[in-house]
Amino acid sequence: MIKSFDEFYIQWHITARCNLRCSHCYQEEYNAKSELSLLDLYKIADQITMALKKWKMKGRIALTGGEPFLKGELFPLIEYLEQNENIWRIGILTNGIIIDQKIVDKLKTFKKLYYIQISLDGAKEKTNDFIRGKGSFKKAINSFRLLTDNGIKTRLMYTVHKKNIQDVSSLIDLAINENIKTLTIERFVPEGQGAEFKDWFLSKDEIHNLFQEIVQRAELEYQKGTPLQIIKYRTLWAIINPDRTKIPDVPLEIDLGGMCSIGIDSLTILQDGTVYPCRRLPIPIGNLLEDSIFKIWYTSDVLWKIRNKNNLKGKCNKCELIPRCSGCRAIAYAMTGDYLSEDPQCWK
């Protein structure tokens, strides 16, 4: 096994159907043409659980789309996944538009459901709805409240770019006020439909200043005892304070830095069984209806090239922070066409 971790992450897109058309979306199609049957979903689940058992690892699976709640097989699939002891946590990534009490009541029956992640792209209705569609802000907020009232952990996903960077501070306020447990602020990757909006891509200085602002706010909230956890485990975060990565037992709430997980401890599965290194790096490396997960994991040329950090180009090649960063391969690919090039938003 090419890793030293004990957990493997699968982001599984079970449908391409969606009830929104977010401007920056990484998808290009929104139909059910290539969706798999429940039987085929079970076959892929069996492959995943077989690999986890052989690797003696715990599995963390995030089910998403498109909009996963549009696929009727979602709940039977969760029930099937819960039967395997190697799968210990299941999450659902959603836009939150159609969550109601009936859905929440079903969600409460799942023992391994760890969180529901809902996306927002603005702390204010005007900003969010410009990007995600009219009425989406209020519906998402209502879903956060419904889930929280029923004891289900929530996460907020925020994709940051030039059209919403001004809302970040207010977004943290919103997450705290709505009792959201975790906030993830992701960099915009201009691919799929989002490729039309490369002018939304933030500069190095904008990312640097934003990350500093978030870290300062996160540390302040940590000192105040605020329960919100702001995720800072992605690439580039380690540059804010390189010495922080050397301190043992740093609380998760203020930890900084995380290597790109491609080829290390994760894979992405699409609605037709196609496998990507990650969802934002749209290079097919196999299909789980035709190839075994072992074949994909051990023979993919793309994965091996990314695993060998000597292959990285530009400033990423000899960077001392490779163990906690290595740059975003998806952003490099989207902006340069070369997934091994240096991260174009790195200010180091």
Side-chain angles (χ1 to χ4, degrees):
M1 183 61 184
I2 316 299
K3 65 191 301 302
S4 59
F5 305 91
D6 64 355
E7 180 181 281
F8 199 91
Y9 174 70
I10 299 282
Q11 184 166 311
W12 192 352
H13 297 255
I14 60 174
T15 180
R17 286 178 287 162
C18 193
N19 45 9
L20 294 181
R21 295 293 183 272
C22 304
S23 302
H24 64 287
C25 184
Y26 45 55
Q27 286 189 203
E28 293 179 323
E29 296 183 358
Y30 300 88
N31 56 61
K33 291 180 180 178
S34 56
E35 281 187 17
L36 301 180
S37 67
L38 185 58
L39 180 59
D40 283 335
L41 293 175
Y42 286 167
K43 289 178 181 178
I44 290 176
D46 289 342
Q47 280 228 49
I48 294 170
T49 54
M50 177 179 63
L52 293 172
K53 185 175 182 179
K54 186 173 181 63
W55 291 333
K56 298 180 180 179
M57 298 176 67
K58 297 182 293 185
R60 182 166 56 91
I61 297 181
L63 299 170
T64 186
E67 172 48 50
F69 286 112
L70 291 177
K71 189 167 178 65
E73 291 82 0
L74 172 63
F75 291 156
L77 178 60
I78 295 176
E79 291 169 353
Y80 192 77
L81 291 170
E82 283 204 317
Q83 296 174 23
N84 190 277
E85 61 182 11
N86 288 86
I87 294 175
W88 77 303
R89 283 182 174 175
I90 298 169
I92 299 176
L93 317 183
T94 172
N95 57 39
I97 298 299
I98 60 174
I99 294 176
D100 57 17
Q101 189 62 54
K102 183 178 179 181
I103 288 176
V104 169
D105 288 342
K106 182 62 179 178
L107 293 174
K108 290 164 65 175
T109 68
F110 298 125
K111 296 179 180 179
K112 296 183 180 180
L113 182 67
Y114 186 58
Y115 65 89
I116 303 294
Q117 175 178 290
I118 298 176
S119 294
L120 281 178
D121 287 309
K124 303 176 182 67
E125 184 176 357
K126 182 178 179 180
T127 307
N128 178 86
D129 289 7
F130 167 75
I131 299 164
R132 302 187 67 82
K134 187 177 180 179
S136 58
F137 182 82
K138 288 182 178 178
K139 290 177 181 177
I141 293 298
N142 288 338
S143 291
F144 274 122
R145 293 172 180 173
L146 181 60
L147 291 163
T148 298
D149 289 345
N150 282 270
I152 297 175
K153 290 183 180 179
T154 57
R155 294 187 176 188
L156 196 167
M157 167 63 73
Y158 192 74
T159 301
V160 66
H161 44 66
K162 287 185 183 294
K163 295 297 183 180
N164 63 7
I165 189 173
Q166 74 282 351
D167 274 20
V168 170
S169 179
S170 297
L171 184 86
I172 296 174
D173 293 335
L174 181 149
I176 294 171
N177 292 335
E178 295 295 337
N179 297 310
I180 294 167
K181 298 301 182 184
T182 306
L183 169 62
T184 300
I185 300 175
E186 288 277 16
R187 293 187 280 156
F188 167 52
V189 183
E191 56 136 330
Q193 183 169 296
E196 300 178 18
F197 300 94
K198 286 191 175 181
D199 58 328
W200 292 13
F201 193 69
L202 296 172
S203 68
K204 298 176 184 180
D205 288 342
E206 286 172 318
I207 287 293
H208 184 188
N209 293 335
L210 174 66
F211 278 23
Q212 285 185 313
E213 175 189 341
I214 294 171
V215 167
Q216 291 170 1
R217 180 67 185 276
E219 293 190 352
L220 174 62
E221 297 301 335
Y222 174 72
Q223 296 300 328
K224 290 165 57 179
T226 305
L228 175 69
Q229 180 184 356
I230 303 176
I231 298 293
K232 301 176 292 299
Y233 313 146
R234 303 291 196 261
T235 54
L236 300 192
W237 285 101
I239 311 173
I240 294 292
N241 187 349
D243 293 335
R244 173 68 57 72
T245 64
K246 301 175 183 178
I247 302 174
D249 302 321
V250 173
L252 291 176
E253 289 80 1
I254 58 173
D255 195 14
L256 290 170
M259 180 189 287
C260 170
S261 62
I262 292 176
I264 305 298
D265 62 353
S266 69
L267 284 172
T268 291
I269 306 170
L270 300 190
Q271 70 279 355
D272 63 351
T274 296
V275 178
Y276 281 177
C278 105
R279 181 57 186 88
R280 291 171 173 79
L281 182 58
I283 302 175
I285 56 175
N287 187 293
L288 288 176
L289 295 183
E290 303 166 357
D291 310 301
S292 74
I293 195 169
F294 299 110
K295 178 183 177 182
I296 293 170
W297 187 249
Y298 290 113
T299 68
S300 167
D301 184 58
V302 174
L303 295 184
W304 281 111
K305 284 181 178 178
I306 293 175
R307 285 177 184 132
N308 184 352
K309 303 310 176 185
N310 291 323
N311 290 326
L312 299 182
K313 301 174 183 178
K315 68 175 74 175
C316 287
N317 182 261
K318 299 298 182 181
C319 182
E320 70 275 14
L321 292 176
I322 280 179
R324 293 299 297 273
C325 183
S326 76
C328 177
R329 300 300 99 217
I331 289 179
Y333 184 71
M335 297 302 292
T336 72
D338 182 356
Y339 58 81
L340 296 174
S341 68
E342 68 180 50
D343 190 319
Q345 286 176 320
C346 178
W347 64 88
K348 186 172 180 292

